[in-house]
Amino acid sequence: MASEFIFESFGRQPNVVVTDQDPAMKQAIEEVFPISRHRLCMWHIMKKMADKVGHELCNNDEFKRRMCDIVWTDSIEPEEFERQWKLLMIEFGLTENKWIDDMFGMRSMWIPAFYRHEPMSGLLRTTSTSESENHFFCQIANSQLTLVEFMNHFDGAMDVQRFNHRKNDHISRYTEPADWSQTTLEKDAAKIYTRSIFFDQQLEINGTISECLPMDTKVEGPRIRILLKDFKAHGDGLLEVWFKNLENDVTAQCSCLSFEQDGLLCKHIYFLFKMFGVKEIPNKYVTKRWTKDVVPNELNVKYNLNIGGKDVQHKAKRIACEIIHTGEYLVSNLISDLDQLVLVRD
């Protein structure tokens, strides 16, 4: 049933399916989604480690730090992961541990290093989405509830979620975040992204000031290659960033592959944008799923505009959206002034 629902909703198989290590799920996914990549939940695997290798070792700060450095990162290549994993197992006497051998054998199914070159668009590394849904339903339901009681609890909980969504949407659209760097790139990001995504990008832009240092520059035809030192990156922190600007068509790429994976620019590309005077984020580097307008406006659902062609309909809906947004902005600014609010209404 679930697979049929996915096919009907999206018209294709999912690129990646994340589950725990349930063998029945593994077999079902292979049969139902043969072209999907099955990924295991990192959190479930790491949670088992204390029982499999011993609580004393898992409480060792050095072991925990080095294990997390190679497991919870997507900034290293598979070869580097394998090298560091083997060194860690030898140093802490785990070379004969069967569970460790099994986890290493299926490393391509749960270690981020093996997903570096795949567009994941911010896919969670764990099943935390479904876990949060379980938590949500556990809060509003139990086996003793009648159907009517469950529906009342469910409606109330959904009202809270809808309110939170409207509140977050209002904050993203009609309030201004604090400006740290006073750059046009940061101001542009504030206009484009939802507030939570903007905060992530703000950290990246701010990181260009204190965390990035150019080490070497080479001109390779129309491209410029810069070797950049990131003081917070894994290992030696050296990354290669390429930049090209032909007839105002800006192209940039970084060896950290942040944009290719998550659809968000890294501090290294922002560093080059600032270096070469790029004032705004190029449209090709704006992934719609992270923008304020990713949720379809209600106008697209409620109103069927039978005027002109598609271009005219699109323009009419855009203007209608601008009117609605302007009205919402006006009301939000006058909400504490009753006299002005009445005046606007009249």
Side-chain angles (χ1 to χ4, degrees), residues 77 116-117 253-262 266:
E77 294 285 352
R116 290 195 74 232
H117 300 278
Q253 186 178 11
C254 179
S255 61
C256 77
L257 301 175
S258 175
F259 180 77
E260 287 76 7
Q261 285 183 305
D262 301 329
C266 59

Side-chain angles (χ1 to χ4, degrees), residues 15-55:
N15 293 330
V16 180
V17 180
V18 183
T19 73
D20 58 19
Q21 292 176 271
D22 188 300
M25 288 292 293
K26 182 177 185 298
Q27 183 178 352
I29 289 169
E30 291 175 352
E31 294 178 2
V32 179
F33 299 135
I35 66 173
S36 300
R37 183 163 184 181
H38 184 196
R39 183 170 183 171
L40 299 177
C41 171
M42 297 172 63
W43 181 82
H44 277 96
I45 293 175
M46 295 299 286
K47 186 181 178 183
K48 297 176 182 177
M49 182 162 288
D51 293 331
K52 301 298 184 180
V53 305
H55 290 271

